[in-house]
Every structure is written in structure tokens, then in C-alpha cells.
Amino acid sequence: MNIIRVAIDGPSGAGKSTLARAAAGKLGYLYVDTGAIYRTVGCYVRARGLDPGDGEAVTAALPQVSIEMTHGDDGLQHMLLNGEDVTQAIRLPEISRYASAVSAHPGVRAFLLEMQRKLARERSVIMDGRDIGTVVLPDAEVKIFLTASPEARARRRCLELEQRGTPQPYETVLREIQERDWNDTHRDTAPLRQAEDAVLLDTTELDFQASEAALLRLIRERIQA
């Protein structure tokens, strides 16, 4: 069986997780949300009361961190932190800041790199994150850079938070997205950037159905090429 690796990168709130999960379901691939893995580390750092910007302290704590990825009866990816299901906890708004901060540390990225690559060696995957096509799976068969305007991403994020019962003002969400964009693109280790051989998919003007169709079309075109 040929193993196909699809790398989807892009900024926060671009719809990577939702679209990648849907596409993986249609193609029969394993979906891997690497952002959830970093959020799990961020969740641990927050629970321990550590400064997420202190690279030495965060890296020193990693030997006490056990992360597992499972798929429940609901078909969704579940994250286990030292045996505890933190799937819901890692989606709290404040965890985004922790995830962005800890992901900038080389020690954290090295700690999680092999875990991600191992999943892609075992079966066909659609993996999304910030550096999948550039660092984690640089030789992936398909690379896509998924993006949308900050304003569109903020509107979608507000709707998502409202549906979860944790609404936030649009201005606050937009500011956080712009701050995270700056942090992700300016960090020293594995900054967010489009791989040279990645295809750009801008969903600013597309609804979910159109975005999913465009993503599936690009993947199938690259696989058959």
C-alpha cells in the first residue's frame, strides 16, 4: 500500500483542522492535528504554573509529560495528557497563547518531532500545523498552504467560540489572531512560512463546502500527478 502524506500549513484560524479532518474522512486517511499536540503541552505548562516563554523551564518539564493521541467513538482525535483526556480543555481561548509560546522553543519542537513523523510512517495521513511541509514532513507528497484574511479568520473564530459557549468580542479575537500571526512568523525556530513547493489555498471568500471541495481537488490532483 502506498503511503500518502499530506502536509497542510497555515496561520491560526484558517480552518486547517476542520478542513483537514473532513478531507481525511473522505479519503480514508488518518487526520493528525499537530496544533492539538502543542496545545496539550501548553495545557501542562499552564497547570504547572510555568512561564510559557521560559524555554529552559518548559524544556526541563518535558520528561514529566506523556502525550497520547487516540480516536474516540465520535471519530474525533482525542488528546491524553498523562492519562487524562484534555480534548476540551486545550480549546479554551487562553491555551492558544500558551501553545504559541511553547511551540517557539527548540526543545519542545524536538520533543514532539519524532512523534509526528512516526504517525506519518505508519499510514497515509493529513497532518496540519505551522511547519509540516517545511520541517516535519519536508518530503510530503502533497503540500498545501491554507490561509484566509485575519478578519475572516476572526469572524469564524468568534462563531466557533459562541457555539462552544465561550464567546469573545470580535476586536479581542482579531487582535489575538494578529498577535499570533506575528509570533508564528517571527520566531527563530521553525517559523510559519509557505514551503516553496506548497500550493496556496486562500479561503477568505469561500464557505466550508467550497473550501472542502477545493482542498480535496488539490490533494487528488497532486496524488495523480
Side-chain angles (χ1 to χ4, degrees):
M1 182 184 73
N2 289 334
I3 290 180
I4 300 296
R5 297 156 300 170
V6 180
I8 301 180
D9 291 309
S12 175
K16 299 186 302 296
S17 298
T18 307
L19 289 169
R21 183 185 300 112
K26 295 283 179 62
L27 296 168
Y29 293 178
L30 174 67
Y31 166 58
V32 181
D33 176 2
T34 64
I37 302 174
Y38 283 99
R39 282 175 174 270
T40 301
V41 175
C43 192
Y44 178 81
V45 168
R46 180 173 180 265
R48 287 284 304 274
L50 299 175
D51 176 3
D54 186 338
E56 289 188 8
V58 172
T59 302
L62 293 177
Q64 285 76 53
V65 177
S66 172
I67 298 176
E68 295 177 77
M69 182 185 299
T70 66
H71 288 76
D73 295 336
D74 54 10
L76 300 179
Q77 174 180 294
H78 285 248
M79 299 305 303
L80 302 181
L81 172 59
N82 293 339
E84 178 187 356
D85 191 326
V86 294
T87 306
Q88 297 300 320
I90 63 174
R91 296 303 171 183
L92 294 173
E94 59 265 29
I95 296 299
S96 293
R97 180 174 66 85
Y98 277 83
S100 183
V102 301
S103 68
H105 304 314
V108 175
R109 304 199 76 85
F111 177 72
L112 298 176
L113 184 60
E114 177 54 26
M115 173 185 177
Q116 297 169 69
R117 287 179 171 170
K118 182 175 184 293
L119 291 168
R121 286 196 298 267
E122 294 173 345
R123 59 175 293 184
S124 294
V125 299
I126 294 184
M127 189 177 292
D128 75 81
R130 302 289 191 281
D131 64 344
I132 309 304
T134 55
V135 176
V136 180
L137 302 177
D139 54 350
E141 286 74 16
V142 183
K143 297 182 186 180
I144 295 170
F145 193 84
L146 183 68
T147 191
S149 71
E151 293 76 15
R153 289 184 277 137
R155 288 193 295 272
R156 295 169 186 171
R157 179 66 172 159
C158 281
L159 179 59
E160 177 186 355
L161 291 171
E162 187 175 322
Q163 292 172 339
R164 286 181 182 164
T166 56
Q168 294 279 321
Y170 169 80
E171 292 76 13
T172 300
V173 174
L174 177 60
R175 183 175 66 253
E176 290 176 349
I177 282 178
Q178 291 170 330
E179 288 175 354
R180 182 147 192 198
D181 284 354
W182 196 93
N183 290 336
D184 286 346
T185 55
H186 287 78
R187 66 191 181 205
D188 293 332
T189 303
L192 170 66
R193 64 179 176 83
Q194 181 178 343
E196 292 183 2
D197 53 347
V199 181
L200 178 67
L201 175 55
D202 190 323
T203 66
T204 300
E205 303 297 333
L206 304 179
D207 62 15
F208 177 79
Q209 287 74 22
S211 298
E212 180 187 24
L215 178 59
L216 283 168
R217 183 173 63 253
L218 287 175
I219 294 173
R220 286 169 173 148
E221 286 175 354
R222 296 301 176 285
I223 291 173
Q224 294 168 3

